[in-house]
Amino acid sequence: MGANIETVKINEHGAKLTKIELNEHGDYVAISLDSPVLFDNFVAGYKHIVDLSESVPKQIEEIEKKYEGQDGFTAVMEKTVAISKVNVDFSADATKTIDGIFGDGTTRKYFHDIYEEIPDFIPDADCIIDFFEKISPEMEKLFDKKIKERDRLSKARMAKYQPQEHKRKGSK
């Protein structure tokens, strides 16, 4: 005699994906506001890029001081290379941070047309600022919507467990 096996499926979940279109070619990133780390990653990433951008002028100032008074071709070239490295490092780190928040290839998608022509393009500080100026308001709207929805659902769920006033039949 065989065992009686019952199968129960619970594959319906409330998690949702949101697609943010990044260019006119239809490239997008998919995020889930149901991930509790998304907000933290966005805020931490944004802060990291701001901190990086604030450190760039200080690093360049140190390089300028190091080469102060040196006018020879070699010194000028070394200074230029050192300053360029600071800017390239900022851009590479900022790109890595953005991709860490939204998924690998986000910056390639956002700057799709440029990467088509220049495959080894690295966005500079102005490009990074442009990206955040465009995506931050959208993320803010999405986070606000999620908070309102969570509050609404929380109240609805808690209402099931709140004591209800019951009147006895026949009482006035």
Side-chain angles (χ1 to χ4, degrees):
M1 186 175 261
N4 187 8
I5 299 174
E6 180 181 347
T7 302
V8 178
K9 293 182 181 182
I10 60 166
N11 61 354
E12 287 295 319
H13 52 78
K16 298 175 188 164
L17 281 176
T18 300
K19 291 181 179 180
I20 300 173
E21 195 168 302
L22 299 174
N23 58 43
E24 65 270 357
H25 301 285
D27 292 330
Y28 64 89
V29 292
I31 60 171
S32 177
L33 295 170
D34 296 311
S35 171
V37 298
L38 178 63
F39 179 77
D40 291 344
N41 289 346
F42 182 76
V43 171
Y46 184 83
K47 183 181 180 330
H48 177 69
I49 290 172
V50 167
D51 291 346
L52 280 175
S53 69
E54 289 174 353
S55 74
V56 168
K58 294 172 191 167
Q59 293 176 51
I60 291 173
E61 185 178 315
E62 289 174 19
I63 293 167
E64 295 278 357
K65 284 181 185 175
K66 179 180 175 182
Y67 290 95
E68 195 173 300
Q70 299 180 32
D71 295 330
F73 178 77
T74 303
V76 170
M77 289 305 293
E78 287 176 2
K79 179 174 104 174
T80 302
V81 168
I83 290 172
S84 180
K85 183 177 180 343
V86 168
N87 289 317
V88 169
D89 288 349
F90 165 81
S91 293
D93 197 351
T95 297
K96 183 179 173 186
T97 301
I98 289 169
D99 286 358
I101 297 167
F102 297 103
D104 287 339
T106 299
T107 51
R108 284 191 166 276
K109 292 174 185 177
Y110 185 72
F111 299 105
H112 178 101
D113 291 336
I114 297 171
Y115 278 103
E116 284 286 313
E117 297 295 323
I118 308 168
D120 60 348
F121 172 75
I122 298 175
D124 69 4
D126 291 334
C127 292
I128 300 299
I129 291 166
D130 177 68
F131 174 81
F132 273 103
E133 283 179 346
K134 299 244 174 46
I135 201 149
S136 292
E138 298 308 316
M139 293 300 291
E140 186 177 328
K141 287 177 200 171
L142 291 169
F143 290 136
D144 284 347
K145 181 179 173 183
K146 177 65 178 177
I147 289 167
K148 288 175 184 170
E149 179 67 9
R150 184 179 55 216
D151 289 348
R152 185 188 68 74
L153 289 173
S154 178
K155 287 176 186 172
R157 287 181 187 128
M158 291 308 293
K160 292 189 255 182
Y161 303 106
Q162 297 295 322
Q164 303 294 317
E165 289 186 5
H166 297 284
K167 294 185 179 181
R168 290 185 194 150
K169 292 182 181 177
S171 66
K172 295 184 181 179

